[in-house]
């Protein structure tokens, strides 16, 4: 997929597993203290890979670079929805890259298991020091700097529910 440069959240762009009101919940709670993007390419320090996170929380006041993109240091949180084709990337490559880049919160949403894994406290060695599992149905709390965002996961369907 080739993400659109600068496409902001619309309900149709985020994967079906989170088609509930999650992005609306997040946008309301940000209330002009940051933005959310969905499937928009982010520039990372390594030239070998570029990723367009399923959902990214952008820090307040962050600016786009000369290419019109946000950079890794503008991200406060990233949410990735696992699919069969992205499983290895979401659980290994992206977790390692996001930690190395110092992204404070990385959430991996796994519809097969019905669990959101919240990674916090990144290290430059490519790991997160804190990992918490939140089952679908429980509130998922994201702690960007100076505020807290709560996502209700009650509407997140498990893989078997998607038909």
């Amino acid at each position: 997929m080739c993400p659109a440069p600068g496409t902001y959240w619309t309900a149709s762009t985020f994967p079906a597993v989170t088609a509930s009101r999650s992005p609306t919940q997040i946008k309301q709670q940000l209330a002009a203290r940051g933005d959310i993007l969905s499937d928009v390419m982010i520039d990372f320090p390594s030239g070998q890979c570029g990723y367009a996170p399923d959902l990214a929380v952008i820090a307040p006041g962050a600016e786009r670079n000369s290419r019109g993109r946000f950079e890794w240091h503008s991200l406060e949180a990233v949410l990735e929805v696992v699919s069969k084709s992205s499983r290895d990337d979401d659980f290994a490559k992206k977790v390692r890259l996001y930690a190395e880049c110092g992204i404070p919160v990385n959430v991996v949403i796994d519809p097969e298991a019905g669990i959101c894994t919240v990674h916090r406290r990144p290290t430059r060695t490519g790991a997160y020091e804190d990992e918490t599992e939140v089952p679908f149905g429980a509130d998922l709390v994201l702690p960007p700097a100076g505020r807290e965002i709560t996502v209700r996961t009650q509407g997140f369907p498990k893989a078997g529910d998607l038909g």
Side-chain angles (χ1 to χ4, degrees):
M1 174 176 131
C2 226
T7 302
Y8 281 80
W9 166 258
T10 64
S12 63
T13 59
F14 199 56
V17 71
T18 55
S20 64
R21 298 171 303 161
S22 304
T24 304
Q25 294 174 47
I26 294 171
K27 192 134 188 108
Q28 288 171 347
Q29 292 178 59
L30 284 174
R33 293 182 298 169
D35 284 311
I36 58 173
L37 303 175
S38 179
D39 289 325
V40 175
M41 188 64 74
I42 302 292
D43 282 346
F44 288 93
S46 168
Q48 30 181 277
C49 59
Y51 285 116
D54 291 329
L55 189 70
V57 178
I58 306 297
E63 296 184 12
R64 295 175 187 269
N65 62 21
S66 61
R67 295 168 31 137
R69 296 178 178 173
F70 287 102
E71 296 182 354
W72 76 97
H73 51 79
S74 300
L75 302 179
E76 291 188 306
V78 171
L79 290 83
E80 296 284 3
V81 180
V82 177
S83 66
K84 288 180 183 176
S85 64
S86 70
R87 201 160 193 80
D88 290 339
D89 275 352
D90 292 334
F91 278 114
K93 293 178 187 175
K94 290 180 184 179
V95 171
R96 186 172 46 255
L97 175 67
Y98 295 161
E100 287 172 353
C101 290
I103 297 171
V105 179
N106 174 23
V107 179
V108 180
I109 302 170
D110 185 354
E112 191 171 310
I115 291 177
C116 301
T117 304
V118 182
H119 302 274
R120 293 185 182 98
R121 296 182 32 222
T123 67
R124 297 289 179 193
T125 60
Y128 283 87
E129 293 180 346
D130 183 34
E131 182 179 297
T132 306
E133 290 187 347
V134 178
F136 285 14
D139 286 350
L140 171 62
V141 179
L142 307 177
R147 59 203 189 281
E148 193 172 270
I149 298 170
T150 302
V151 178
R152 286 163 186 74
T153 67
Q154 188 171 8
F156 288 12
K158 290 188 176 184
D161 299 337
L162 297 175

